Amino acid sequence: LNDQVHVHAGYGVEGPIRRDLASDQGFARNSAYFVSLFWDLHRSVQTSVQVDYRQTDLVALADNDAVVLYHQWLVRF
């Protein structure tokens, strides 16, 4: 967005062949969308926030999805 504020976004998926998985465990499919906003307050201090949306298809357990929010401070010295 400018020299101090920047954004990263992406998508990832993993989907192994279901017949290769054990019948009682494992992830049949896993996917995630994310967007991160970074703000360089100073050359030695950065803060960021990230939002993820995750979808998981488990072999033996109930499927699940979630929204995850992260906040981070980075101090360089």
Side-chain angles (χ1 to χ4, degrees):
L1 302 174
N2 61 42
D3 288 343
Q4 290 182 300
V5 179
H6 47 104
V7 176
H8 298 253
Y11 171 74
V13 64
E14 59 180 342
I17 300 169
R18 194 176 280 266
R19 70 176 178 268
D20 291 344
L21 301 172
S23 62
D24 63 343
Q25 63 184 350
F27 295 95
R29 182 176 168 88
N30 209 13
S31 63
Y33 300 87
F34 73 92
V35 63
S36 304
L37 177 72
F38 294 88
W39 182 15
D40 296 322
L41 300 168
H42 185 269
R43 65 181 181 88
S44 62
V45 179
Q46 180 186 73
T47 188
S48 65
V49 63
Q50 178 172 318
V51 178
D52 291 358
Y53 175 67
R54 300 178 185 187
Q55 294 175 307
T56 303
D57 177 9
L58 298 167
V59 173
L61 300 173
D63 297 346
N64 200 352
D65 63 335
V67 175
V68 182
L69 176 67
Y70 301 91
H71 180 254
Q72 171 180 296
W73 286 95
L74 175 68
V75 178
R76 298 176 187 100
F77 52 94

